[in-house]
Amino acid sequence: GLYVILGEKSFPKAGDSLGGPEMTRLLAELSGEYDLVILDTSPLLVAADATALGPIVDGVLLVVRAASADRRTQAEVVRKLTDAGASIIGTVLNDPDGATS
């Protein structure tokens, strides 16, 4: 009962297309068909995907590498998402011991 759609490698100005009407229609269609739709994006400070998708999804769950995240960077991420109109619903802290490089 799990379906996965893989995306292509990133392309210039991907953020412009992701927040557009075609993506909004696709998400509405998928939401009508499936109980839960999860989108995994590149890190916010690396690509604009999360900023573009944030306003058109029900909520954003931040995933933070606990061992290497600093408060200033996380505050910037939250500011960018909220400025874009995203609703942040929570945060997951992973890699607390810094075991992942």
Side-chain angles (χ1 to χ4, degrees):
L2 175 67
Y3 298 87
V4 177
I5 300 172
L6 301 175
E8 295 289 325
K9 292 182 179 181
S10 56
F11 55 93
K13 301 197 179 196
D16 295 342
S17 333
L18 290 175
E22 295 86 5
M23 180 58 91
T24 302
R25 282 193 294 276
L26 174 62
L27 291 176
E29 185 178 324
L30 291 172
S31 295
E33 203 56 39
Y34 298 97
D35 295 329
L36 185 62
V37 177
I38 298 173
L39 304 175
D40 181 19
T41 68
S42 302
L44 180 76
L45 298 178
V46 173
D49 302 2
T51 307
L53 290 169
I56 63 171
V57 298
D58 292 333
V60 174
L61 181 64
L62 298 174
V63 179
V64 177
R65 183 172 292 158
S68 61
D70 65 83
R71 288 181 186 225
R72 186 177 308 152
T73 301
Q74 296 315 307
E76 181 181 354
V77 167
V78 168
R79 183 190 54 75
K80 284 185 177 205
L81 286 168
T82 54
D83 286 354
S87 173
I88 299 172
I89 58 173
T91 302
V92 173
L93 295 174
N94 68 5
D95 195 23
D97 301 323
T100 306
S101 57

mmCIF file of all heavy atoms in Angstrom, residues 21-67:
data_model
loop_
_atom_site.group_PDB
_atom_site.id
_atom_site.type_symbol
_atom_site.label_atom_id
_atom_site.label_comp_id
_atom_site.label_asym_id
_atom_site.label_seq_id
_atom_site.Cartn_x
_atom_site.Cartn_y
_atom_site.Cartn_z
ATOM 1 N N PRO A 21 0.675 26.430 -10.428
ATOM 2 C CA PRO A 21 -0.669 25.851 -10.463
ATOM 3 C C PRO A 21 -0.689 24.364 -10.825
ATOM 4 O O PRO A 21 -1.546 23.622 -10.349
ATOM 5 C CB PRO A 21 -1.403 26.684 -11.516
ATOM 6 C CG PRO A 21 -0.359 27.452 -12.249
ATOM 7 C CD PRO A 21 0.848 27.510 -11.382
ATOM 8 N N GLU A 22 0.255 23.913 -11.639
ATOM 9 C CA GLU A 22 0.285 22.489 -12.002
ATOM 10 C C GLU A 22 0.564 21.625 -10.773
ATOM 11 O O GLU A 22 -0.071 20.592 -10.575
ATOM 12 C CB GLU A 22 1.341 22.200 -13.082
ATOM 13 C CG GLU A 22 1.057 22.852 -14.420
ATOM 14 C CD GLU A 22 1.599 24.280 -14.500
ATOM 15 O OE1 GLU A 22 2.285 24.732 -13.556
ATOM 16 O OE2 GLU A 22 1.327 24.946 -15.503
ATOM 17 N N MET A 23 1.497 22.064 -9.934
ATOM 18 C CA MET A 23 1.809 21.308 -8.724
ATOM 19 C C MET A 23 0.646 21.353 -7.747
ATOM 20 O O MET A 23 0.325 20.362 -7.102
ATOM 21 C CB MET A 23 3.088 21.838 -8.064
ATOM 22 C CG MET A 23 3.460 21.072 -6.803
ATOM 23 S SD MET A 23 3.708 19.303 -7.043
ATOM 24 C CE MET A 23 5.438 19.264 -7.388
ATOM 25 N N THR A 24 -0.010 22.492 -7.648
ATOM 26 C CA THR A 24 -1.173 22.613 -6.768
ATOM 27 C C THR A 24 -2.263 21.643 -7.205
ATOM 28 O O THR A 24 -2.862 20.954 -6.372
ATOM 29 C CB THR A 24 -1.699 24.062 -6.770
ATOM 30 O OG1 THR A 24 -0.641 24.936 -6.352
ATOM 31 C CG2 THR A 24 -2.884 24.225 -5.850
ATOM 32 N N ARG A 25 -2.500 21.555 -8.512
ATOM 33 C CA ARG A 25 -3.507 20.620 -9.026
ATOM 34 C C ARG A 25 -3.092 19.174 -8.774
ATOM 35 O O ARG A 25 -3.914 18.338 -8.385
ATOM 36 C CB ARG A 25 -3.742 20.848 -10.525
ATOM 37 C CG ARG A 25 -4.625 22.050 -10.813
ATOM 38 C CD ARG A 25 -5.099 22.077 -12.265
ATOM 39 N NE ARG A 25 -4.018 22.271 -13.224
ATOM 40 C CZ ARG A 25 -3.527 23.459 -13.569
ATOM 41 N NH1 ARG A 25 -4.014 24.555 -13.037
ATOM 42 N NH2 ARG A 25 -2.560 23.547 -14.447
ATOM 43 N N LEU A 26 -1.809 18.864 -8.990
ATOM 44 C CA LEU A 26 -1.322 17.506 -8.757
ATOM 45 C C LEU A 26 -1.496 17.110 -7.291
ATOM 46 O O LEU A 26 -1.974 16.014 -6.985
ATOM 47 C CB LEU A 26 0.148 17.388 -9.156
ATOM 48 C CG LEU A 26 0.818 16.043 -8.816
ATOM 49 C CD1 LEU A 26 0.152 14.899 -9.555
ATOM 50 C CD2 LEU A 26 2.304 16.102 -9.123
ATOM 51 N N LEU A 27 -1.133 17.999 -6.375
ATOM 52 C CA LEU A 27 -1.281 17.694 -4.953
ATOM 53 C C LEU A 27 -2.744 17.514 -4.562
ATOM 54 O O LEU A 27 -3.074 16.649 -3.747
ATOM 55 C CB LEU A 27 -0.616 18.778 -4.101
ATOM 56 C CG LEU A 27 0.912 18.818 -4.171
ATOM 57 C CD1 LEU A 27 1.449 19.996 -3.376
ATOM 58 C CD2 LEU A 27 1.518 17.514 -3.683
ATOM 59 N N ALA A 28 -3.625 18.311 -5.129
ATOM 60 C CA ALA A 28 -5.059 18.161 -4.851
ATOM 61 C C ALA A 28 -5.559 16.808 -5.343
ATOM 62 O O ALA A 28 -6.314 16.117 -4.641
ATOM 63 C CB ALA A 28 -5.846 19.298 -5.504
ATOM 64 N N GLU A 29 -5.116 16.407 -6.517
ATOM 65 C CA GLU A 29 -5.512 15.104 -7.070
ATOM 66 C C GLU A 29 -4.974 13.959 -6.208
ATOM 67 O O GLU A 29 -5.692 13.023 -5.876
ATOM 68 C CB GLU A 29 -4.999 14.975 -8.501
ATOM 69 C CG GLU A 29 -5.460 13.717 -9.196
ATOM 70 C CD GLU A 29 -4.982 13.648 -10.634
ATOM 71 O OE1 GLU A 29 -4.912 14.709 -11.296
ATOM 72 O OE2 GLU A 29 -4.681 12.535 -11.082
ATOM 73 N N LEU A 30 -3.703 14.047 -5.834
ATOM 74 C CA LEU A 30 -3.100 12.996 -5.003
ATOM 75 C C LEU A 30 -3.767 12.927 -3.628
ATOM 76 O O LEU A 30 -3.982 11.844 -3.094
ATOM 77 C CB LEU A 30 -1.598 13.234 -4.855
ATOM 78 C CG LEU A 30 -0.758 13.046 -6.118
ATOM 79 C CD1 LEU A 30 0.676 13.506 -5.871
ATOM 80 C CD2 LEU A 30 -0.793 11.596 -6.584
ATOM 81 N N SER A 31 -4.088 14.082 -3.059
ATOM 82 C CA SER A 31 -4.746 14.110 -1.747
ATOM 83 C C SER A 31 -6.127 13.473 -1.789
ATOM 84 O O SER A 31 -6.572 12.904 -0.799
ATOM 85 C CB SER A 31 -4.857 15.550 -1.239
ATOM 86 O OG SER A 31 -3.577 16.079 -0.998
ATOM 87 N N GLY A 32 -6.795 13.588 -2.917
ATOM 88 C CA GLY A 32 -8.100 12.957 -3.074
ATOM 89 C C GLY A 32 -8.001 11.453 -3.257
ATOM 90 O O GLY A 32 -8.926 10.699 -2.953
ATOM 91 N N GLU A 33 -6.868 10.990 -3.708
ATOM 92 C CA GLU A 33 -6.649 9.581 -4.025
ATOM 93 C C GLU A 33 -6.001 8.804 -2.875
ATOM 94 O O GLU A 33 -6.241 7.618 -2.715
ATOM 95 C CB GLU A 33 -5.748 9.540 -5.262
ATOM 96 C CG GLU A 33 -5.740 8.343 -6.122
ATOM 97 C CD GLU A 33 -7.078 7.894 -6.684
ATOM 98 O OE1 GLU A 33 -7.922 8.725 -7.083
ATOM 99 O OE2 GLU A 33 -7.272 6.688 -6.700
ATOM 100 N N TYR A 34 -5.174 9.478 -2.068
ATOM 101 C CA TYR A 34 -4.393 8.811 -1.027
ATOM 102 C C TYR A 34 -4.638 9.431 0.339
ATOM 103 O O TYR A 34 -4.989 10.606 0.447
ATOM 104 C CB TYR A 34 -2.888 8.888 -1.356
ATOM 105 C CG TYR A 34 -2.556 8.191 -2.650
ATOM 106 C CD1 TYR A 34 -2.436 8.909 -3.838
ATOM 107 C CD2 TYR A 34 -2.387 6.810 -2.692
ATOM 108 C CE1 TYR A 34 -2.159 8.269 -5.041
ATOM 109 C CE2 TYR A 34 -2.106 6.160 -3.889
ATOM 110 C CZ TYR A 34 -1.992 6.899 -5.051
ATOM 111 O OH TYR A 34 -1.733 6.258 -6.232
ATOM 112 N N ASP A 35 -4.456 8.627 1.391
ATOM 113 C CA ASP A 35 -4.652 9.101 2.766
ATOM 114 C C ASP A 35 -3.603 10.122 3.175
ATOM 115 O O ASP A 35 -3.886 11.050 3.926
ATOM 116 C CB ASP A 35 -4.596 7.928 3.752
ATOM 117 C CG ASP A 35 -5.736 6.949 3.547
ATOM 118 O OD1 ASP A 35 -6.827 7.377 3.119
ATOM 119 O OD2 ASP A 35 -5.538 5.749 3.808
ATOM 120 N N LEU A 36 -2.374 9.921 2.722
ATOM 121 C CA LEU A 36 -1.268 10.772 3.136
ATOM 122 C C LEU A 36 -0.311 10.963 1.968
ATOM 123 O O LEU A 36 0.064 9.996 1.307
ATOM 124 C CB LEU A 36 -0.532 10.111 4.307
ATOM 125 C CG LEU A 36 0.586 10.859 4.984
ATOM 126 C CD1 LEU A 36 0.081 12.157 5.610
ATOM 127 C CD2 LEU A 36 1.224 9.979 6.052
ATOM 128 N N VAL A 37 0.081 12.193 1.719
ATOM 129 C CA VAL A 37 1.042 12.516 0.668
ATOM 130 C C VAL A 37 2.216 13.223 1.344
ATOM 131 O O VAL A 37 2.035 14.244 2.001
ATOM 132 C CB VAL A 37 0.433 13.432 -0.421
ATOM 133 C CG1 VAL A 37 1.474 13.801 -1.462
ATOM 134 C CG2 VAL A 37 -0.769 12.761 -1.063
ATOM 135 N N ILE A 38 3.411 12.642 1.203
ATOM 136 C CA ILE A 38 4.608 13.214 1.824
ATOM 137 C C ILE A 38 5.571 13.630 0.721
ATOM 138 O O ILE A 38 5.876 12.843 -0.172
ATOM 139 C CB ILE A 38 5.290 12.183 2.751
ATOM 140 C CG1 ILE A 38 4.337 11.793 3.883
ATOM 141 C CG2 ILE A 38 6.598 12.753 3.305
ATOM 142 C CD1 ILE A 38 4.840 10.664 4.749
ATOM 143 N N LEU A 39 6.043 14.852 0.788
ATOM 144 C CA LEU A 39 7.025 15.364 -0.165
ATOM 145 C C LEU A 39 8.349 15.553 0.574
ATOM 146 O O LEU A 39 8.383 16.187 1.623
ATOM 147 C CB LEU A 39 6.570 16.707 -0.742
ATOM 148 C CG LEU A 39 5.196 16.722 -1.410
ATOM 149 C CD1 LEU A 39 4.840 18.145 -1.813
ATOM 150 C CD2 LEU A 39 5.160 15.800 -2.599
ATOM 151 N N ASP A 40 9.417 15.030 0.032
ATOM 152 C CA ASP A 40 10.746 15.186 0.623
ATOM 153 C C ASP A 40 11.525 16.120 -0.289
ATOM 154 O O ASP A 40 11.651 15.874 -1.482
ATOM 155 C CB ASP A 40 11.421 13.810 0.706
ATOM 156 C CG ASP A 40 12.796 13.866 1.339
ATOM 157 O OD1 ASP A 40 13.099 14.855 2.035
ATOM 158 O OD2 ASP A 40 13.570 12.924 1.132
ATOM 159 N N THR A 41 12.041 17.199 0.280
ATOM 160 C CA THR A 41 12.754 18.184 -0.530
ATOM 161 C C THR A 41 14.224 18.275 -0.127
ATOM 162 O O THR A 41 14.628 17.755 0.907
ATOM 163 C CB THR A 41 12.137 19.590 -0.393
ATOM 164 O OG1 THR A 41 12.373 20.076 0.926
ATOM 165 C CG2 THR A 41 10.654 19.576 -0.701
ATOM 166 N N SER A 42 14.965 18.964 -0.940
ATOM 167 C CA SER A 42 16.360 19.270 -0.617
ATOM 168 C C SER A 42 16.397 20.197 0.586
ATOM 169 O O SER A 42 15.418 20.881 0.877
ATOM 170 C CB SER A 42 17.028 19.982 -1.795
ATOM 171 O OG SER A 42 16.962 19.200 -2.946
ATOM 172 N N PRO A 43 17.528 20.266 1.288
ATOM 173 C CA PRO A 43 17.631 21.215 2.400
ATOM 174 C C PRO A 43 17.310 22.638 1.934
ATOM 175 O O PRO A 43 17.699 23.052 0.848
ATOM 176 C CB PRO A 43 19.098 21.096 2.830
ATOM 177 C CG PRO A 43 19.508 19.727 2.394
ATOM 178 C CD PRO A 43 18.749 19.471 1.122
ATOM 179 N N LEU A 44 16.624 23.366 2.768
ATOM 180 C CA LEU A 44 16.131 24.693 2.403
ATOM 181 C C LEU A 44 17.239 25.653 1.993
ATOM 182 O O LEU A 44 17.076 26.427 1.056
ATOM 183 C CB LEU A 44 15.339 25.300 3.562
ATOM 184 C CG LEU A 44 14.774 26.684 3.275
ATOM 185 C CD1 LEU A 44 13.569 26.564 2.364
ATOM 186 C CD2 LEU A 44 14.422 27.391 4.532
ATOM 187 N N LEU A 45 18.356 25.612 2.676
ATOM 188 C CA LEU A 45 19.424 26.570 2.361
ATOM 189 C C LEU A 45 20.248 26.142 1.151
ATOM 190 O O LEU A 45 21.125 26.867 0.711
ATOM 191 C CB LEU A 45 20.320 26.789 3.585
ATOM 192 C CG LEU A 45 19.593 27.375 4.800
ATOM 193 C CD1 LEU A 45 20.545 27.512 5.979
ATOM 194 C CD2 LEU A 45 18.949 28.708 4.468
ATOM 195 N N VAL A 46 19.950 24.962 0.582
ATOM 196 C CA VAL A 46 20.640 24.470 -0.611
ATOM 197 C C VAL A 46 19.800 24.729 -1.860
ATOM 198 O O VAL A 46 20.322 25.061 -2.913
ATOM 199 C CB VAL A 46 20.935 22.955 -0.479
ATOM 200 C CG1 VAL A 46 21.493 22.387 -1.757
ATOM 201 C CG2 VAL A 46 21.879 22.697 0.684
ATOM 202 N N ALA A 47 18.481 24.550 -1.739
ATOM 203 C CA ALA A 47 17.577 24.718 -2.887
ATOM 204 C C ALA A 47 16.282 25.371 -2.409
ATOM 205 O O ALA A 47 15.960 25.325 -1.223
ATOM 206 C CB ALA A 47 17.288 23.363 -3.522
ATOM 207 N N ALA A 48 15.540 25.935 -3.331
ATOM 208 C CA ALA A 48 14.307 26.652 -2.988
ATOM 209 C C ALA A 48 13.073 25.762 -2.995
ATOM 210 O O ALA A 48 11.959 26.261 -2.839
ATOM 211 C CB ALA A 48 14.104 27.806 -3.970
ATOM 212 N N ASP A 49 13.233 24.465 -3.135
ATOM 213 C CA ASP A 49 12.092 23.550 -3.226
ATOM 214 C C ASP A 49 11.124 23.692 -2.052
ATOM 215 O O ASP A 49 9.917 23.821 -2.236
ATOM 216 C CB ASP A 49 12.561 22.093 -3.303
ATOM 217 C CG ASP A 49 13.483 21.819 -4.473
ATOM 218 O OD1 ASP A 49 13.812 22.753 -5.219
ATOM 219 O OD2 ASP A 49 13.876 20.656 -4.639
ATOM 220 N N ALA A 50 11.647 23.633 -0.829
ATOM 221 C CA ALA A 50 10.789 23.692 0.357
ATOM 222 C C ALA A 50 10.072 25.029 0.461
ATOM 223 O O ALA A 50 8.903 25.085 0.851
ATOM 224 C CB ALA A 50 11.613 23.430 1.612
ATOM 225 N N THR A 51 10.729 26.107 0.089
ATOM 226 C CA THR A 51 10.105 27.431 0.134
ATOM 227 C C THR A 51 8.961 27.518 -0.871
ATOM 228 O O THR A 51 7.920 28.104 -0.584
ATOM 229 C CB THR A 51 11.138 28.535 -0.154
ATOM 230 O OG1 THR A 51 12.242 28.373 0.729
ATOM 231 C CG2 THR A 51 10.550 29.908 0.043
ATOM 232 N N ALA A 52 9.142 26.909 -2.035
ATOM 233 C CA ALA A 52 8.100 26.948 -3.063
ATOM 234 C C ALA A 52 6.920 26.049 -2.694
ATOM 235 O O ALA A 52 5.763 26.409 -2.921
ATOM 236 C CB ALA A 52 8.683 26.513 -4.407
ATOM 237 N N LEU A 53 7.198 24.890 -2.112
ATOM 238 C CA LEU A 53 6.138 23.941 -1.776
ATOM 239 C C LEU A 53 5.434 24.276 -0.465
ATOM 240 O O LEU A 53 4.265 23.943 -0.282
ATOM 241 C CB LEU A 53 6.705 22.522 -1.698
ATOM 242 C CG LEU A 53 7.116 21.918 -3.035
ATOM 243 C CD1 LEU A 53 7.908 20.635 -2.811
ATOM 244 C CD2 LEU A 53 5.896 21.650 -3.901
ATOM 245 N N GLY A 54 6.137 24.922 0.459
ATOM 246 C CA GLY A 54 5.583 25.204 1.784
ATOM 247 C C GLY A 54 4.195 25.820 1.795
ATOM 248 O O GLY A 54 3.321 25.360 2.532
ATOM 249 N N PRO A 55 3.945 26.843 0.985
ATOM 250 C CA PRO A 55 2.628 27.484 1.019
ATOM 251 C C PRO A 55 1.491 26.642 0.434
ATOM 252 O O PRO A 55 0.334 26.923 0.690
ATOM 253 C CB PRO A 55 2.817 28.752 0.171
ATOM 254 C CG PRO A 55 4.283 28.948 0.069
ATOM 255 C CD PRO A 55 4.900 27.604 0.194
ATOM 256 N N ILE A 56 1.801 25.601 -0.341
ATOM 257 C CA ILE A 56 0.725 24.843 -0.993
ATOM 258 C C ILE A 56 0.499 23.468 -0.368
ATOM 259 O O ILE A 56 -0.316 22.694 -0.874
ATOM 260 C CB ILE A 56 0.962 24.715 -2.520
ATOM 261 C CG1 ILE A 56 2.227 23.930 -2.829
ATOM 262 C CG2 ILE A 56 0.985 26.084 -3.166
ATOM 263 C CD1 ILE A 56 2.393 23.602 -4.305
ATOM 264 N N VAL A 57 1.202 23.161 0.724
ATOM 265 C CA VAL A 57 0.979 21.896 1.426
ATOM 266 C C VAL A 57 0.326 22.192 2.776
ATOM 267 O O VAL A 57 0.299 23.330 3.238
ATOM 268 C CB VAL A 57 2.303 21.101 1.618
ATOM 269 C CG1 VAL A 57 2.901 20.734 0.270
ATOM 270 C CG2 VAL A 57 3.311 21.877 2.453
ATOM 271 N N ASP A 58 -0.219 21.146 3.402
ATOM 272 C CA ASP A 58 -0.905 21.334 4.688
ATOM 273 C C ASP A 58 0.055 21.706 5.806
ATOM 274 O O ASP A 58 -0.316 22.437 6.720
ATOM 275 C CB ASP A 58 -1.671 20.071 5.072
ATOM 276 C CG ASP A 58 -2.843 19.807 4.138
ATOM 277 O OD1 ASP A 58 -3.372 20.768 3.552
ATOM 278 O OD2 ASP A 58 -3.220 18.631 3.996
ATOM 279 N N GLY A 59 1.276 21.192 5.764
ATOM 280 C CA GLY A 59 2.225 21.493 6.822
ATOM 281 C C GLY A 59 3.624 21.051 6.457
ATOM 282 O O GLY A 59 3.811 20.192 5.599
ATOM 283 N N VAL A 60 4.606 21.650 7.116
ATOM 284 C CA VAL A 60 6.018 21.352 6.879
ATOM 285 C C VAL A 60 6.593 20.752 8.159
ATOM 286 O O VAL A 60 6.418 21.308 9.247
ATOM 287 C CB VAL A 60 6.800 22.635 6.507
ATOM 288 C CG1 VAL A 60 8.287 22.354 6.407
ATOM 289 C CG2 VAL A 60 6.270 23.212 5.205
ATOM 290 N N LEU A 61 7.260 19.625 8.007
ATOM 291 C CA LEU A 61 7.962 18.987 9.115
ATOM 292 C C LEU A 61 9.451 19.158 8.850
ATOM 293 O O LEU A 61 9.972 18.677 7.848
ATOM 294 C CB LEU A 61 7.601 17.498 9.182
ATOM 295 C CG LEU A 61 8.236 16.691 10.293
ATOM 296 C CD1 LEU A 61 7.767 17.190 11.664
ATOM 297 C CD2 LEU A 61 7.897 15.221 10.129
ATOM 298 N N LEU A 62 10.126 19.894 9.722
ATOM 299 C CA LEU A 62 11.554 20.135 9.554
ATOM 300 C C LEU A 62 12.340 18.927 10.062
ATOM 301 O O LEU A 62 12.003 18.372 11.103
ATOM 302 C CB LEU A 62 11.992 21.366 10.337
ATOM 303 C CG LEU A 62 11.375 22.695 9.949
ATOM 304 C CD1 LEU A 62 11.818 23.782 10.924
ATOM 305 C CD2 LEU A 62 11.759 23.055 8.542
ATOM 306 N N VAL A 63 13.372 18.542 9.341
ATOM 307 C CA VAL A 63 14.295 17.505 9.796
ATOM 308 C C VAL A 63 15.642 18.185 9.982
ATOM 309 O O VAL A 63 16.180 18.771 9.050
ATOM 310 C CB VAL A 63 14.397 16.345 8.786
ATOM 311 C CG1 VAL A 63 15.392 15.298 9.270
ATOM 312 C CG2 VAL A 63 13.023 15.711 8.566
ATOM 313 N N VAL A 64 16.165 18.106 11.201
ATOM 314 C CA VAL A 64 17.371 18.839 11.566
ATOM 315 C C VAL A 64 18.427 17.867 12.072
ATOM 316 O O VAL A 64 18.140 17.033 12.934
ATOM 317 C CB VAL A 64 17.058 19.877 12.669
ATOM 318 C CG1 VAL A 64 18.309 20.602 13.114
ATOM 319 C CG2 VAL A 64 15.999 20.862 12.191
ATOM 320 N N ARG A 65 19.632 17.962 11.537
ATOM 321 C CA ARG A 65 20.748 17.171 12.051
ATOM 322 C C ARG A 65 21.206 17.824 13.349
ATOM 323 O O ARG A 65 21.889 18.842 13.345
ATOM 324 C CB ARG A 65 21.882 17.098 11.044
ATOM 325 C CG ARG A 65 23.024 16.226 11.531
ATOM 326 C CD ARG A 65 24.061 15.978 10.493
ATOM 327 N NE ARG A 65 23.472 15.142 9.447
ATOM 328 C CZ ARG A 65 23.954 15.072 8.209
ATOM 329 N NH1 ARG A 65 25.004 15.769 7.858
ATOM 330 N NH2 ARG A 65 23.374 14.304 7.328
ATOM 331 N N ALA A 66 20.812 17.217 14.447
ATOM 332 C CA ALA A 66 20.992 17.819 15.772
ATOM 333 C C ALA A 66 22.444 18.106 16.122
ATOM 334 O O ALA A 66 22.743 19.133 16.735
ATOM 335 C CB ALA A 66 20.368 16.919 16.835
ATOM 336 N N ALA A 67 23.341 17.215 15.754
ATOM 337 C CA ALA A 67 24.737 17.369 16.153
ATOM 338 C C ALA A 67 25.433 18.544 15.468
ATOM 339 O O ALA A 67 26.411 19.062 15.982
ATOM 340 C CB ALA A 67 25.513 16.084 15.875
#
